[in-house]
Structures are given as structure tokens and as C-alpha cells.
Amino acid sequence: MLASTTMDITIHKAEHTKLNDLNLENIPFGKYFSDHMLEADYENGEWKNIEIKPYQPLLLSPSIAALHYGQAIFEGVKAYKDAEGHAFIFRPQDNFRRFNVSAERMQMPEVPEEIFMEGMKQLVALDSNWIPNKEDHSLYIRPFMFSSDELIGVRPSESYKFMILLSPTGPYYNAPMRIYVEEQYVRAVPGGIGYAKAAGNYGASMYATAQAKKKGYDQVLWTDAFEHKYVQEIGTMNVIFIIGNKAVTPDLGAGTILAGVTRDSALTLLKEAGFEVEERMISVDELIDAYKAGQLHEVFGTGTAATISYIKELRYKDFVMTFNTDEWKTAPTIKKWLTDIREGRREDKYGWMTQVK
């Protein structure tokens, strides 16, 4: 059913909603998807066929380039509702900018702002009933792009597909985590694609994560590629350490760490809370020394999916650092402030929330 056309985005509404068959009070992360999706094609140097339509399978050739050479990028964004039921998206402009940074690195076309931002807002507005009305729940927004040339050959594709999916979700991690410091495998190297949100980064991380899980750990803390001495990221999250009265996190200078939107938000709120924030190289030895001296108070991950995730154990070789997360003050405060901003209970003085009308 053709409903309307706005800014050249054609909207075809689903005849029936799947929402009646789903309990939004108890949902796992990333398993269910809303009634609609956005789809656009890049062909002959321009974006076309921009439409919002019912969620459905894609008909694709088995020879499309993305399946063979990995030209695929994505973003993670979230939408929330305030107490009055108004829908807001958290910092979508930052995700838009980062998406096109990834696109440039992967030799893919830039997605125009009106397609990314307006398409996202119109899609969320259409499916706003899918935003859960429960704390620590949200509507996860997944913009992504992949190469679609039907050709086997190593070169940048000439055609691409950009899409946005919506998925109502609860917490990504439900409990404090046990983390294994990885000293054999690497996530990224200087000059590589570590700073890009490219699909291959995540596929390449799965083996090391699986090995850590066999040892009873939830995720790995990646270290640098050359010495395995300096920490980088935790699995799919950035990481922040509370050492003394400072909040310390690995810097982004080497291009091996994703510039997380939640990372930036947490650092901003930590400064507001009175912490001195340091973005710099951090060695595993420094963390162990701080722990032995009683100065490593908290360790937590930050990410769109994970939000703020507590780390209760950190293992490096045979040395284990444990933390009583029930006694923590900082991470719970930052998580609450962030949640309250997103859900309209705390002033949005940084202009992070974009209302969907």
C-alpha cells in the first residue's frame, strides 16, 4: 500500500503489524525486527530507489561482491521514549559521520545526510510503537551498506545497497563480565581498518573470543599487535579504567580503536562528575601495578549495544584482578545519567537527543 512520499523517500506501509505477536517486556538483543525497513541503491554514481517498505528478505545474486570481498560496513544507533511517549534518537549525527568515515576507508560511496538522517527519522517515526517502554530497553537501529556488483574480481564495487533495520531490544550484557586479556591474536594494526566499523573486523574477532569463552570468560581485552603490551578494546566495546581519581581510556591516535559514540558520551559525563580524563596508551603492567596498589577501582566497557557494562574480573596470563561491582559508584552513576538523558529524566544539555516527529 503506497502511503506517502517525503523528500523522495517512498513509503510503503505494511498491511499488518507483527507487534501484536511480540512481548516487548522480555526480548533478547537483535532477534526481532520491526515492520519496516529502509532500502536504497547506488548505481551509476548516484543514489536511487530510496524507499521504506515492509521488512522482507532480499533477493541477491550469489556472486555479489560483498559475499566474496567483504565490502560491508554498519552502524549501531538507539531510539528511546520519554515519559510522555515522545521518540528520540541518541546522537545520530555522530553515527552518520562515522559511517561515512568507514565508507571512505572501505572505498565505498558516501551516503548523503538526507538519506541517512531523514530516512532513519522517518523509519523510526513509522515504527515508533516498537520502542519498548522499559528502562534499559530501546529500539536498536542498524544502518548498513554492502557492495552489490555481480562480479568476481578484487576491486571496489560500482553498485551498493544501503539499508536500515530496527530491532527492539533489551540489554546486550545482562551481568558483570569476566574478561581475558588477549596476547596472541589481534583485532587491528596501525594502518589497518580498526577505526572503521567494517563487518570484517567483527568476523575476525570471533575466533579469539571463542577461545576465551572456552576458558570461562565472556570477552577478550585486545592488546596492541606488536608487543601485546598496551590495551585497546574489550570485544565489541571501548574500555574505561578508573585509576585513583582519573578516568583513563586508550587514545584513538593509532587508528586501531573505534571512536565510540558511547565512549565519548561517557567521557563527557565523567568530566562533568569531576574526573580528570586521560586518553593515552595504557599498558597491562600499569593496570596490574594500579590494582596491586589498590588504585584500580573500576573497569567498564562502553558501546551502543552494551551501553555501560561492568567488568568484574580481568585476567592477564595467570594474574587475576577481581572487582566487587556492587560497591562501585562511578560506572553506575554514569550509566544512570546516560540513561536518564536518553529517557528524558535528565537535562540534555549536550544536545545529544534528536526528536522524531
mmCIF file of all heavy atoms in Angstrom, residues 280-309:
data_model
loop_
_atom_site.group_PDB
_atom_site.id
_atom_site.type_symbol
_atom_site.label_atom_id
_atom_site.label_comp_id
_atom_site.label_asym_id
_atom_site.label_seq_id
_atom_site.Cartn_x
_atom_site.Cartn_y
_atom_site.Cartn_z
ATOM 1 N N ARG A 280 45.114 8.022 26.470
ATOM 2 C CA ARG A 280 46.532 7.750 26.236
ATOM 3 C C ARG A 280 46.766 6.249 26.160
ATOM 4 O O ARG A 280 45.845 5.448 26.358
ATOM 5 C CB ARG A 280 47.371 8.349 27.362
ATOM 6 C CG ARG A 280 47.019 7.816 28.762
ATOM 7 C CD ARG A 280 47.977 8.345 29.808
ATOM 8 N NE ARG A 280 47.618 7.969 31.167
ATOM 9 C CZ ARG A 280 47.876 6.790 31.731
ATOM 10 N NH1 ARG A 280 48.488 5.829 31.028
ATOM 11 N NH2 ARG A 280 47.538 6.545 32.991
ATOM 12 N N MET A 281 47.993 5.875 25.868
ATOM 13 C CA MET A 281 48.360 4.464 25.884
ATOM 14 C C MET A 281 48.366 3.957 27.324
ATOM 15 O O MET A 281 48.828 4.651 28.235
ATOM 16 C CB MET A 281 49.736 4.266 25.244
ATOM 17 C CG MET A 281 49.789 4.647 23.772
ATOM 18 S SD MET A 281 51.460 4.538 23.062
ATOM 19 C CE MET A 281 51.714 2.758 23.080
ATOM 20 N N ILE A 282 47.841 2.758 27.519
ATOM 21 C CA ILE A 282 47.779 2.151 28.852
ATOM 22 C C ILE A 282 48.332 0.737 28.744
ATOM 23 O O ILE A 282 47.819 -0.085 27.971
ATOM 24 C CB ILE A 282 46.331 2.069 29.372
ATOM 25 C CG1 ILE A 282 45.614 3.415 29.241
ATOM 26 C CG2 ILE A 282 46.300 1.592 30.819
ATOM 27 C CD1 ILE A 282 44.111 3.299 29.366
ATOM 28 N N SER A 283 49.353 0.445 29.506
ATOM 29 C CA SER A 283 49.935 -0.898 29.455
ATOM 30 C C SER A 283 49.241 -1.817 30.457
ATOM 31 O O SER A 283 48.678 -1.368 31.465
ATOM 32 C CB SER A 283 51.433 -0.845 29.761
ATOM 33 O OG SER A 283 51.652 -0.527 31.128
ATOM 34 N N VAL A 284 49.309 -3.101 30.179
ATOM 35 C CA VAL A 284 48.771 -4.089 31.111
ATOM 36 C C VAL A 284 49.533 -4.010 32.433
ATOM 37 O O VAL A 284 48.946 -4.126 33.516
ATOM 38 C CB VAL A 284 48.861 -5.505 30.518
ATOM 39 C CG1 VAL A 284 48.302 -6.531 31.503
ATOM 40 C CG2 VAL A 284 48.114 -5.587 29.196
ATOM 41 N N ASP A 285 50.835 -3.779 32.357
ATOM 42 C CA ASP A 285 51.641 -3.669 33.579
ATOM 43 C C ASP A 285 51.167 -2.514 34.453
ATOM 44 O O ASP A 285 51.142 -2.627 35.691
ATOM 45 C CB ASP A 285 53.119 -3.473 33.219
ATOM 46 C CG ASP A 285 53.756 -4.736 32.662
ATOM 47 O OD1 ASP A 285 53.186 -5.828 32.870
ATOM 48 O OD2 ASP A 285 54.815 -4.629 32.011
ATOM 49 N N GLU A 286 50.795 -1.393 33.828
ATOM 50 C CA GLU A 286 50.283 -0.256 34.601
ATOM 51 C C GLU A 286 48.998 -0.635 35.327
ATOM 52 O O GLU A 286 48.796 -0.262 36.491
ATOM 53 C CB GLU A 286 50.028 0.942 33.688
ATOM 54 C CG GLU A 286 49.446 2.147 34.427
ATOM 55 C CD GLU A 286 49.071 3.304 33.516
ATOM 56 O OE1 GLU A 286 49.422 3.267 32.323
ATOM 57 O OE2 GLU A 286 48.415 4.250 34.008
ATOM 58 N N LEU A 287 48.137 -1.379 34.660
ATOM 59 C CA LEU A 287 46.884 -1.798 35.286
ATOM 60 C C LEU A 287 47.150 -2.725 36.469
ATOM 61 O O LEU A 287 46.526 -2.595 37.529
ATOM 62 C CB LEU A 287 45.995 -2.503 34.262
ATOM 63 C CG LEU A 287 45.491 -1.651 33.095
ATOM 64 C CD1 LEU A 287 44.678 -2.513 32.134
ATOM 65 C CD2 LEU A 287 44.655 -0.479 33.591
ATOM 66 N N ILE A 288 48.085 -3.654 36.287
ATOM 67 C CA ILE A 288 48.408 -4.586 37.371
ATOM 68 C C ILE A 288 49.006 -3.835 38.560
ATOM 69 O O ILE A 288 48.642 -4.088 39.720
ATOM 70 C CB ILE A 288 49.369 -5.682 36.865
ATOM 71 C CG1 ILE A 288 48.635 -6.590 35.865
ATOM 72 C CG2 ILE A 288 49.921 -6.498 38.027
ATOM 73 C CD1 ILE A 288 49.525 -7.613 35.192
ATOM 74 N N ASP A 289 49.904 -2.896 38.282
ATOM 75 C CA ASP A 289 50.507 -2.107 39.366
ATOM 76 C C ASP A 289 49.444 -1.299 40.108
ATOM 77 O O ASP A 289 49.461 -1.217 41.347
ATOM 78 C CB ASP A 289 51.580 -1.174 38.807
ATOM 79 C CG ASP A 289 52.831 -1.917 38.351
ATOM 80 O OD1 ASP A 289 52.991 -3.097 38.743
ATOM 81 O OD2 ASP A 289 53.624 -1.329 37.596
ATOM 82 N N ALA A 290 48.518 -0.702 39.355
ATOM 83 C CA ALA A 290 47.451 0.084 39.982
ATOM 84 C C ALA A 290 46.543 -0.809 40.818
ATOM 85 O O ALA A 290 46.106 -0.428 41.912
ATOM 86 C CB ALA A 290 46.644 0.813 38.912
ATOM 87 N N TYR A 291 46.278 -2.008 40.316
ATOM 88 C CA TYR A 291 45.434 -2.951 41.056
ATOM 89 C C TYR A 291 46.113 -3.364 42.365
ATOM 90 O O TYR A 291 45.482 -3.374 43.437
ATOM 91 C CB TYR A 291 45.155 -4.176 40.192
ATOM 92 C CG TYR A 291 44.304 -5.228 40.874
ATOM 93 C CD1 TYR A 291 42.921 -5.104 40.915
ATOM 94 C CD2 TYR A 291 44.894 -6.343 41.479
ATOM 95 C CE1 TYR A 291 42.139 -6.064 41.543
ATOM 96 C CE2 TYR A 291 44.121 -7.308 42.104
ATOM 97 C CZ TYR A 291 42.746 -7.161 42.135
ATOM 98 O OH TYR A 291 41.979 -8.114 42.764
ATOM 99 N N LYS A 292 47.403 -3.684 42.295
ATOM 100 C CA LYS A 292 48.139 -4.097 43.495
ATOM 101 C C LYS A 292 48.213 -2.969 44.520
ATOM 102 O O LYS A 292 48.236 -3.220 45.732
ATOM 103 C CB LYS A 292 49.543 -4.557 43.111
ATOM 104 C CG LYS A 292 49.584 -5.887 42.365
ATOM 105 C CD LYS A 292 51.012 -6.269 42.001
ATOM 106 C CE LYS A 292 51.078 -7.624 41.319
ATOM 107 N NZ LYS A 292 52.472 -7.984 40.926
ATOM 108 N N ALA A 293 48.230 -1.734 44.018
ATOM 109 C CA ALA A 293 48.305 -0.574 44.916
ATOM 110 C C ALA A 293 46.927 -0.136 45.412
ATOM 111 O O ALA A 293 46.821 0.841 46.164
ATOM 112 C CB ALA A 293 48.983 0.590 44.196
ATOM 113 N N GLY A 294 45.885 -0.850 44.994
ATOM 114 C CA GLY A 294 44.536 -0.502 45.413
ATOM 115 C C GLY A 294 43.980 0.728 44.724
ATOM 116 O O GLY A 294 43.032 1.351 45.221
ATOM 117 N N GLN A 295 44.541 1.068 43.554
ATOM 118 C CA GLN A 295 44.130 2.277 42.846
ATOM 119 C C GLN A 295 43.280 2.007 41.606
ATOM 120 O O GLN A 295 42.707 2.933 41.041
ATOM 121 C CB GLN A 295 45.372 3.085 42.443
ATOM 122 C CG GLN A 295 46.114 3.689 43.621
ATOM 123 C CD GLN A 295 45.244 4.679 44.380
ATOM 124 O OE1 GLN A 295 44.764 5.661 43.818
ATOM 125 N NE2 GLN A 295 45.017 4.413 45.659
ATOM 126 N N LEU A 296 43.211 0.755 41.168
ATOM 127 C CA LEU A 296 42.355 0.418 40.030
ATOM 128 C C LEU A 296 40.975 0.074 40.584
ATOM 129 O O LEU A 296 40.712 -1.045 41.014
ATOM 130 C CB LEU A 296 42.937 -0.762 39.242
ATOM 131 C CG LEU A 296 42.144 -1.210 38.002
ATOM 132 C CD1 LEU A 296 41.942 -0.063 37.016
ATOM 133 C CD2 LEU A 296 42.834 -2.390 37.319
ATOM 134 N N HIS A 297 40.100 1.063 40.585
ATOM 135 C CA HIS A 297 38.830 0.930 41.289
ATOM 136 C C HIS A 297 37.730 0.294 40.442
ATOM 137 O O HIS A 297 36.952 -0.518 40.945
ATOM 138 C CB HIS A 297 38.369 2.307 41.774
ATOM 139 C CG HIS A 297 39.359 3.000 42.653
ATOM 140 N ND1 HIS A 297 39.868 2.423 43.799
ATOM 141 C CD2 HIS A 297 39.951 4.221 42.548
ATOM 142 C CE1 HIS A 297 40.723 3.262 44.375
ATOM 143 N NE2 HIS A 297 40.795 4.355 43.632
ATOM 144 N N GLU A 298 37.663 0.677 39.170
ATOM 145 C CA GLU A 298 36.583 0.179 38.319
ATOM 146 C C GLU A 298 37.091 0.010 36.888
ATOM 147 O O GLU A 298 37.974 0.745 36.436
ATOM 148 C CB GLU A 298 35.386 1.145 38.315
ATOM 149 C CG GLU A 298 34.776 1.387 39.687
ATOM 150 C CD GLU A 298 33.574 2.326 39.640
ATOM 151 O OE1 GLU A 298 32.919 2.421 38.573
ATOM 152 O OE2 GLU A 298 33.292 2.970 40.669
ATOM 153 N N VAL A 299 36.505 -0.961 36.197
ATOM 154 C CA VAL A 299 36.778 -1.186 34.777
ATOM 155 C C VAL A 299 35.431 -1.430 34.106
ATOM 156 O O VAL A 299 34.671 -2.298 34.537
ATOM 157 C CB VAL A 299 37.696 -2.408 34.548
ATOM 158 C CG1 VAL A 299 37.998 -2.561 33.059
ATOM 159 C CG2 VAL A 299 38.978 -2.294 35.355
ATOM 160 N N PHE A 300 35.128 -0.669 33.065
ATOM 161 C CA PHE A 300 33.851 -0.886 32.394
ATOM 162 C C PHE A 300 33.960 -0.611 30.903
ATOM 163 O O PHE A 300 34.798 0.158 30.440
ATOM 164 C CB PHE A 300 32.732 -0.043 33.019
ATOM 165 C CG PHE A 300 33.000 1.433 33.122
ATOM 166 C CD1 PHE A 300 32.581 2.310 32.132
ATOM 167 C CD2 PHE A 300 33.651 1.955 34.237
ATOM 168 C CE1 PHE A 300 32.805 3.667 32.240
ATOM 169 C CE2 PHE A 300 33.883 3.313 34.357
ATOM 170 C CZ PHE A 300 33.460 4.179 33.351
ATOM 171 N N GLY A 301 33.108 -1.304 30.162
ATOM 172 C CA GLY A 301 33.057 -1.137 28.719
ATOM 173 C C GLY A 301 31.954 -0.178 28.330
ATOM 174 O O GLY A 301 30.976 0.000 29.059
ATOM 175 N N THR A 302 32.111 0.449 27.157
ATOM 176 C CA THR A 302 31.089 1.355 26.637
ATOM 177 C C THR A 302 30.819 1.020 25.178
ATOM 178 O O THR A 302 31.737 0.735 24.412
ATOM 179 C CB THR A 302 31.530 2.827 26.733
ATOM 180 O OG1 THR A 302 32.677 3.043 25.888
ATOM 181 C CG2 THR A 302 31.879 3.210 28.162
ATOM 182 N N GLY A 303 29.546 1.057 24.797
ATOM 183 C CA GLY A 303 29.187 0.797 23.409
ATOM 184 C C GLY A 303 27.704 1.023 23.202
ATOM 185 O O GLY A 303 26.937 1.031 24.165
ATOM 186 N N THR A 304 27.294 1.195 21.954
ATOM 187 C CA THR A 304 25.878 1.425 21.674
ATOM 188 C C THR A 304 25.035 0.247 22.132
ATOM 189 O O THR A 304 24.024 0.413 22.809
ATOM 190 C CB THR A 304 25.655 1.669 20.171
ATOM 191 O OG1 THR A 304 26.375 2.836 19.781
ATOM 192 C CG2 THR A 304 24.177 1.876 19.868
ATOM 193 N N ALA A 305 25.456 -0.952 21.759
ATOM 194 C CA ALA A 305 24.702 -2.140 22.172
ATOM 195 C C ALA A 305 24.855 -2.389 23.664
ATOM 196 O O ALA A 305 23.890 -2.641 24.379
ATOM 197 C CB ALA A 305 25.162 -3.349 21.375
ATOM 198 N N ALA A 306 26.093 -2.300 24.144
ATOM 199 C CA ALA A 306 26.387 -2.649 25.531
ATOM 200 C C ALA A 306 26.050 -1.535 26.515
ATOM 201 O O ALA A 306 25.856 -1.790 27.704
ATOM 202 C CB ALA A 306 27.867 -3.004 25.655
ATOM 203 N N THR A 307 25.996 -0.291 26.060
ATOM 204 C CA THR A 307 25.835 0.907 26.892
ATOM 205 C C THR A 307 27.011 0.993 27.871
ATOM 206 O O THR A 307 28.127 1.249 27.465
ATOM 207 C CB THR A 307 24.482 0.919 27.618
ATOM 208 O OG1 THR A 307 23.444 0.663 26.663
ATOM 209 C CG2 THR A 307 24.211 2.280 28.231
ATOM 210 N N ILE A 308 26.785 0.759 29.160
ATOM 211 C CA ILE A 308 27.862 0.697 30.151
ATOM 212 C C ILE A 308 27.853 -0.708 30.738
ATOM 213 O O ILE A 308 26.869 -1.119 31.355
ATOM 214 C CB ILE A 308 27.662 1.728 31.286
ATOM 215 C CG1 ILE A 308 27.533 3.150 30.722
ATOM 216 C CG2 ILE A 308 28.813 1.630 32.295
ATOM 217 C CD1 ILE A 308 28.784 3.726 30.136
ATOM 218 N N SER A 309 28.925 -1.454 30.533
ATOM 219 C CA SER A 309 28.987 -2.839 31.005
ATOM 220 C C SER A 309 30.102 -2.994 32.032
ATOM 221 O O SER A 309 31.257 -2.652 31.768
ATOM 222 C CB SER A 309 29.230 -3.791 29.829
ATOM 223 O OG SER A 309 28.126 -3.798 28.955
#
